Every structure is written in C-alpha cells, then in structure tokens.
Amino acid sequence: MKRRSQAERTAETRARILAAVVESIAEVGFPRTTANEIVRRAGVTWGAVQHHFGDKDGILMAVLEDSFERFAARLADVREEAPLEKRVCAFVDRAWEHFASDHYRSMFEILLQSAPDGREAEGIWQRRMFRGWNRVWDGLFGDAGLPRRRSLTLQHYTIAVLSGLASLRILEGGIGRLQEAELGLLKATLVRELTRSVAPGTPRVRSSRAVGLADS
C-alpha cells in the first residue's frame, strides 16, 4: 500500500473536520454544534482542530469558503460558448444542487447565527461570497452585455429564488412539491432577461470582478 504524504494526511484531516461541522449543523443545528460535538464526529482532538483552523470561528469561515468552492466546482464544466439556454439550464440545475445541499444549509445557519443583527452576516456575504458568485455569473453570462445594475438585480433575484426554495424544502421536510415547476420558471425568466435588447451606449458588464456590492 502506498504511504500517504504529509500533505495528503493534512488535507484528509481538514476535510474530515469540515465534514463533521457540516454534518452536525445539518443534523442538530448550529447552537448544538459545539467543540465537543465537532471533535466527536471528526474523530480528532480539539488540539488538532486548532492546529488546522485556529479556533471555532476559523472553522466556520473555512466551511463558508469550502461551500462556495464546491458551488463553483459544480459549474466548472459549463462552457461559455454553449447556447445561452443550455448555460442557463445547467447553471440553475447545478446551483440548485448546491442550495439544496447540507453545505448550503450549514453556511446559511452560520451566517445567521454568528451575527443575530444580520449586519456582520451581510458583510461576510458581500466580501467573501458575492465576489465569487459574480465571477461565476460573469464567466457564464458576461456576453449578454446587460447593464451593471440589471445584472446585479438578476443575480440577487436568482439567489433569492434558490435560497427561498431551499428554505421551503426544509419546512416541507425535503418534499419540494413545486420545486421543478419553480426552477423551470427561474430558467425561463433568466433566458428572457439575459436576451433582452439593451439600448446603445449603455454600460456593459464585462469585468470578471464583482461590481457594486462586492466593493462596498
């Protein structure tokens, strides 16, 4: 049997700890995801957790970053040159897989519970998440040439629909009665809005960096 390298062992331990946090939040909720619960599920000591992440806040931030990396990876094979309708369908389907996952549920609870007044959570979302979301969006739909404000509006609308469906899915116990119809409506809306004509001379979204909210 091939002996694992130190880097491989480190990556495996980090992944096990992150998985333990996600699993715990999904099963017992954020308040009960204590240090003891994390180490019990991960099968490591708290000293090992501190070595890799520093403290609980460090773990939670790593979960947020890992969640978005997983979201971006789901879309990595969607080609810019594919027909717009095909790109939209792939984007919505893959994005929904992420929003319906335990990783998104854990991320959402972390953002809510770590900042009860919502201001800090909003800042974390803007700085850490929206930049990445905007890069994915612009990579897939930048050729639509929408005005900046319209592009941001569509992005926020898409996030609102997917996060709302994810919340309903939790409330309905995972049944998701109207899920397919609602996702179909989101796809049709995005195709329509992304193909709308834009008046000559209107500023276009071409940069891959996040605009507006990401820089505020």
Side-chain angles (χ1 to χ4, degrees):
M1 180 181 294
K2 181 182 178 181
R3 185 176 181 180
R4 294 175 301 164
S5 67
Q6 179 62 39
E8 289 172 329
R9 291 196 296 273
T10 296
E12 181 182 298
T13 301
R14 284 178 60 88
R16 195 160 67 244
I17 294 169
L18 292 176
V21 176
V22 170
E23 177 186 88
S24 179
I25 293 176
E27 291 182 7
V28 302
F30 181 89
R32 294 174 61 187
T33 300
T34 61
N36 287 339
E37 186 67 18
I38 292 170
V39 299
R40 183 186 70 79
R41 289 173 181 265
V44 299
T45 65
W46 184 246
V49 174
Q50 291 178 308
H51 173 72
H52 289 287
F53 300 101
D55 56 16
K56 188 175 180 180
D57 286 341
I59 304 173
L60 297 181
M61 185 55 66
V63 169
L64 295 178
E65 293 171 349
D66 180 63
S67 178
F68 191 83
E69 287 172 4
R70 288 171 178 270
F71 166 68
R74 290 180 189 273
L75 292 155
D77 63 344
V78 180
R79 300 301 175 196
E80 297 179 51
E81 61 271 15
L84 177 63
E85 186 171 354
K86 186 174 182 179
R87 276 180 279 157
V88 168
C89 288
F91 173 77
V92 171
D93 288 341
R94 308 283 179 81
W96 173 242
E97 288 174 4
H98 172 72
F99 276 75
S101 71
D102 286 343
H103 282 273
Y104 175 78
R105 181 175 179 177
S106 298
M107 181 190 75
F108 190 70
E109 283 208 42
I110 289 170
L111 291 175
L112 286 179
Q113 299 293 336
S114 62
D117 63 4
R119 290 192 297 272
E120 184 181 348
E122 183 182 6
I124 291 173
W125 174 261
Q126 290 176 352
R127 292 191 300 272
R128 299 295 184 107
M129 301 295 134
F130 195 76
R131 283 193 182 96
W133 173 278
N134 196 85
R135 282 195 296 270
V136 170
W137 179 278
D138 194 49
L140 290 175
F141 308 123
D143 60 342
L146 291 178
R148 291 181 177 182
R149 184 174 297 277
R150 190 62 180 171
S151 178
L152 290 175
T153 298
L154 269 184
Q155 291 182 51
H156 287 180
Y157 170 77
T158 302
I159 293 170
V161 171
L162 292 172
S163 60
L165 287 175
S167 298
L168 285 174
R169 185 173 182 271
I170 294 171
L171 292 174
E172 294 173 351
I175 299 173
R177 295 181 180 86
L178 301 177
Q179 173 185 307
E180 290 302 320
E182 290 162 335
L183 291 176
L185 182 58
L186 175 59
K187 292 173 185 177
T189 300
L190 291 181
V191 170
R192 183 184 70 245
E193 293 298 317
L194 288 167
T195 54
R196 290 179 66 179
S197 61
V198 181
T202 305
R204 310 285 184 166
V205 176
R206 294 302 304 168
S207 173
S208 61
R209 50 180 302 221
V211 181
L213 289 177
D215 296 326
S216 59

